[in-house]
Amino acid sequence: MNQKPFIALDFPTWEMTSTFLDQFSESLNVKVGMELYFQNGPVILEKLLNKNHRIFLDLKLHDIPNTVYGAMKGLAGFDLEMINVHAAGGSVMMEKALEGLHAGTPANHKRANLIAVTQLTSTTEEHMRKEQLIPIPLHESVLHYAALAREAGLDGVVCSPLESHLIKEHCGNDFIRVTPGIRLAEDHLGDQKRVTTPEMAKDLGSSYIVVGRSITSADNPVAAYERIVHDWEGKE
Ligand code: C5P
């Protein structure tokens, strides 16, 4: 898989998605999340694959192990690059997710990378303390989840760019760090709390970045994408 940024296709319809994608002349790394998938179904994956885009399916599965096994087994039938679960679902759930992915991946196909969401990039330490009743520093919780995911055999985690370095140190460089929460210096934060620029994300040890609104809400999405790629790849 190339290391180009994944564009978060957070659109409600296929029409809006394809209008957006038609502005680009190349096949892209794209992220399909809940908004697009739940309103349009698996057919959206076929449509993107037909246009040669590479997909990170970001459904953040979190349920009892048996249910996650079944869901993963079904989703493994699509030619996905990456798929994820919430680490908060626990070690057994993560192990079953991986088993399901193995079981459902067609022969001669590469299994999608399975990564775990640690703490969402919209979560703050105060939120963790008051709402999750977790009285430890946020980075400790993220590291704990990353270690659990690694022990369960997963390929990496979704985390804030601010945590990639620590995870790389503890879990090794091969353990993938996918980081949303990316903004160009002049952009609005929106609901994200723990953000960096693409350049900083590279410096801090991200393996892949995910960028949504900085591209999809830009006046010129192609120019914004190119600037982000330049920022990101300029650091290689
Ligand atoms: O628009 P923005 O760049 O903030 O979009 C970030 C994308 O990454 C969204 O689709 C969001 O669901 C996703 N994401 C995230 N934090 C995580 C996991 C996924 O923001 N921990």
Side-chain angles (χ1 to χ4, degrees), residues 191-236:
D191 54 351
Q192 298 282 23
K193 308 285 189 221
R194 308 194 320 277
V195 302
T196 71
T197 62
E199 197 178 0
M200 278 170 71
K202 173 74 78 162
D203 278 344
L204 292 168
S206 300
S207 323
Y208 297 94
I209 52 172
V210 171
V211 188
R213 286 162 288 182
S214 286
I215 299 173
T216 53
S217 302
D219 291 336
N220 183 339
V222 177
Y225 174 70
E226 280 166 2
R227 226 188 107 195
I228 283 165
V229 171
H230 182 264
D231 243 49
W232 169 246
E233 291 186 340
K235 278 282 158 182
E236 266 170 9

Side-chain angles (χ1 to χ4, degrees), residues 139-179:
H139 74 269
E140 271 183 36
S141 168
V142 168
L143 257 189
H144 175 64
Y145 278 145
L148 276 188
R150 187 156 189 268
E151 279 161 30
L154 272 62
D155 303 296
V157 286
V158 187
C159 61
S160 153
L162 302 169
E163 291 133 14
S164 315
H165 183 67
L166 210 55
I167 293 172
K168 183 174 164 182
E169 243 173 46
H170 282 75
C171 300
N173 195 30
D174 290 347
F175 193 66
I176 299 169
R177 285 93 45 209
V178 180
T179 61

